[in-house]
Amino acid sequence: MPADLRSVLSNRQFEMRTLTPLTDEALDLPLAWAHSSDLPDPTPWLQPGGLLLTDGAQFLPAQDVDPGGYVARLAAHGVAALGFAVGILHDAVPSRLVAACASTGMPLLELSARTPFMAVIRHVADASAADERENLERSLVAHRRVARAALRPDGLNEILRELERGLDCGVRLFDASGTVVEVPSTRGLSTDAEGGAADAAAELLARGRAASARLLAADGGAITLQTIGRENGLRGVLAVETSVAGYDAAAKDLIDSVIALASIALEQNRTLDQARRRLRSGILELLLAGVTDVAGRTVHHLWGDLPSGPVHVARLTPGTGGTAAANPLLAALEVASDAQPGAIFFAEGEDGIVAVISTDAQSTLRQLVSRRGARMGLSSAIPWPRLAEGMSEARRAAERTSDRRPVVIFDELADTGILGHLEQTRAHQVARRMLEPIAGDARLRETLAVWLSHNGAWGPAADALGVHRHTLRSRVDHAATRLGLDLDGFGDRAELWHALQLTADD
């Protein structure tokens, strides 16, 4: 450890005593240096945190240095303590200097003439050198342990645990999607730090380039975050929480080594994830083909049992706002399925991400959709042999989702009247064929929807659209001709209204 005032005062080679009250904090404060100077203002040549020694030449009558101003300058510069030698130029420490130190809280030591300044300076320097050697030795040991840990089968877990041991810190790893990589850790992050670290990690990943960030805690600690991976190929973020706001060079070097090794480990995990994703897709095809026994045995050996029937099929898609993507959804599903064995099986199908879940897992998927800004269509409860039917129901429910209604359950469509019944009977396909002559003409579709919502009243509908009544009538007549409908009659108007409602999200 570096030298402090306590170790200096307790050294029997030195004859010194304190002239001002000293707190435990002042006694235990590490000394960065010890140096002697008789300059009236030595602060331009000093760094904070050291012990300044003087024989008081600046306080002789010829110098006329004000002790109060002198001590104030030392305190403002961060000098830790002042040592004054007596029996050389002064028989005693000037009383005005003692008073100035006492009033500013500057520790003042009195040294006898038999205590050489060089001995005190060497004592502090030797302690600092020994501390640096110990830090270097600890760093070398930590580097060796991290290197050996990387060679173990669970190398990623081991190198993070070794980082915790080497720096006595908390560690959290986030993957490229911002999802926590679950590691059996000795500490992890504190509860108060988890949320802030996750938000900061997501922000760093969103930048798409190598970056770092630091979050300061109220207790004087800090969380340092550093991206892992190359530019335009980030693999994750490493978060390190310590009880101090900074690191020394050895600690930074160790963190850099861990980041490099974690990058390699995450790249290997990514390759394995791609293989697992292809395997899951193949298993889904087996399930849809009715080869449930083979698929079930394969899943059992790799991830545990399939959900027991009846099951629900969920179709998940990223939100239109761009806040979600397939990879984060898949990563979140991986975590959710590990947390609930036998409740969730997921895979990538031809039309997106599909999850087959037990009834108990519905709330888990709802929370996942909410956190990721995604959407979900959920089928009714079905037995495994009717999986294809469940896939179709989930797809139909997903087509009715929106930003305001991110989760749609197929059973709920039946509770919305005749239109819900039409949804369940897949009348939307008929509606699309019916409206095909005006497909792509958004203005004409809007005109018809507004006109019908005003019960065919020309004046109010024209006002709502901001057009002249003759313009509105011309558009409606044009649409009627293209669609082959008689919109003067209620029957064709009703068919047109249902068709527009069924295809509103197209």
Side-chain angles (χ1 to χ4, degrees):
M1 293 181 60
D4 51 28
L5 288 182
R6 192 184 299 277
S7 67
V8 172
L9 289 167
S10 62
N11 192 317
R12 296 182 179 180
Q13 296 178 359
F14 306 148
E15 294 182 12
M16 60 177 63
R17 65 191 181 98
T18 62
L19 299 183
T20 57
L22 295 182
T23 64
D24 287 338
E25 182 180 2
L27 286 168
D28 296 331
L29 181 68
L31 295 174
W33 51 265
H35 188 64
S36 62
S37 174
D38 295 333
L39 292 173
D41 182 11
T43 56
W45 296 273
L46 300 178
Q47 293 180 338
L51 169 62
L52 179 64
L53 303 172
T54 182
D55 58 16
Q58 67 273 42
F59 297 114
L60 292 174
Q63 295 291 335
D64 193 26
V65 173
D66 174 38
Y70 176 82
V71 173
R73 288 191 293 273
L74 297 184
H77 195 69
V79 173
L82 177 64
F84 195 101
V86 295
I88 302 175
L89 299 179
H90 296 266
D91 293 333
V93 179
S95 59
R96 291 174 60 198
L97 182 63
V98 175
C101 288
S103 64
T104 59
M106 171 70 68
L108 179 60
L109 312 180
E110 181 188 271
L111 286 72
S112 74
R114 290 188 295 274
T115 300
F117 284 175
M118 185 54 67
V120 178
I121 293 171
R122 171 160 288 187
H123 171 81
V124 174
D126 288 347
S128 296
D131 185 63
E132 290 179 2
R133 285 196 302 273
E134 291 177 4
N135 287 337
L136 179 59
E137 291 173 359
R138 284 196 299 268
S139 177
L140 292 174
V141 170
H143 275 280
R144 286 195 292 268
R145 287 178 176 173
V146 166
R148 287 195 296 268
L151 299 176
R152 298 172 187 169
D154 56 343
L156 180 60
N157 296 356
E158 288 298 323
I159 62 176
L160 295 180
R161 284 198 288 263
E162 288 297 340
L163 178 60
E164 283 191 332
R165 296 188 190 105
L167 298 184
D168 188 25
C169 64
V171 172
R172 181 67 79 201
L173 183 65
F174 301 88
D175 64 16
S177 70
T179 302
V180 172
V181 178
E182 296 297 339
V183 175
S185 172
T186 56
R187 287 175 58 176
L189 301 184
S190 62
T191 303
D192 294 339
E194 283 285 358
D199 292 341
E203 182 178 345
L204 290 177
L205 291 168
R207 298 179 187 177
R209 63 181 186 275
S212 62
R214 175 170 292 180
L215 307 177
L216 297 179
D219 60 0
I223 304 173
T224 300
L225 298 100
Q226 176 65 55
T227 56
I228 297 174
R230 304 181 302 274
E231 293 283 346
N232 300 320
L234 298 182
R235 294 288 172 252
V237 173
L238 179 67
V240 180
E241 180 184 22
T242 61
S243 58
V244 295
Y247 303 107
D248 57 22
K252 291 179 180 178
D253 191 35
L254 179 60
I255 293 175
D256 289 342
S257 297
V258 169
I259 287 174
L261 292 171
S263 180
I264 296 172
L266 287 175
E267 183 66 29
Q268 293 173 337
N269 285 355
R270 186 181 70 87
T271 303
L272 291 174
D273 287 343
Q274 291 176 339
R276 285 194 290 263
R277 286 166 63 175
R278 288 192 290 269
L279 180 57
R280 285 182 178 276
S281 297
I283 292 172
L284 179 61
E285 292 181 8
L286 289 176
L287 292 170
L288 289 170
V291 192
T292 309
D293 53 346
V294 175
R297 287 197 298 270
T298 305
V299 172
H300 175 77
H301 291 306
L302 295 173
W303 300 292
D305 295 327
L306 287 168
S308 57
V311 295
H312 298 265
V313 179
R315 164 82 186 282
L316 296 101
T317 55
T320 56
T323 57
N327 285 344
L329 282 177
L330 291 169
L333 282 168
E334 187 81 51
V335 174
S337 63
D338 288 343
Q340 292 183 263
I344 301 173
F345 172 77
F346 68 93
E348 292 177 278
E350 294 181 356
D351 53 355
I353 301 174
V354 175
V356 184
I357 64 171
S358 65
T359 300
D360 294 340
Q362 287 190 52
S363 61
T364 299
L365 254 63
R366 284 179 177 272
Q367 294 173 7
L368 184 151
V369 166
S370 176
R371 288 196 304 269
R372 294 290 172 183
R375 298 181 183 181
M376 179 177 70
L378 192 66
S379 77
S380 57
I382 57 166
W384 276 104
R386 292 171 52 194
L387 181 62
E389 181 180 338
M391 291 275 288
S392 179
E393 291 183 1
R395 186 182 304 111
R396 288 297 307 123
E399 289 172 354
R400 300 298 296 174
T401 61
S402 64
D403 288 341
R404 289 185 297 178
R405 192 185 180 192
V407 177
V408 173
I409 300 176
F410 186 77
D411 286 340
E412 294 176 352
L413 296 178
D415 299 331
T416 58
I418 294 176
L419 190 61
H421 174 73
L422 292 175
E423 286 279 358
Q424 286 192 311
T425 57
R426 297 166 182 80
H428 66 288
Q429 297 174 356
V430 177
R432 286 182 181 138
R433 287 197 297 269
M434 175 183 170
L435 297 176
E436 188 173 350
I438 62 171
D441 194 335
R443 188 185 69 172
L444 193 54
R445 286 176 60 101
E446 180 190 15
T447 298
L448 293 172
V450 172
W451 178 63
L452 291 172
S453 69
H454 286 81
N455 300 315
W458 300 103
D463 292 340
L465 290 167
V467 299
H468 194 273
R469 291 175 59 182
H470 294 312
T471 301
L472 174 60
R473 185 179 291 275
S474 176
R475 290 182 185 177
V476 172
D477 290 343
H478 177 63
T481 300
R482 291 172 64 178
L483 294 171
L485 297 175
D486 178 9
L487 296 181
D488 290 331
F490 173 78
D492 282 4
R493 287 188 184 185
E495 283 206 17
L496 176 60
W497 182 84
H498 280 103
L500 290 171
Q501 293 298 310
L502 288 166
T503 59
D505 292 334
D506 289 358

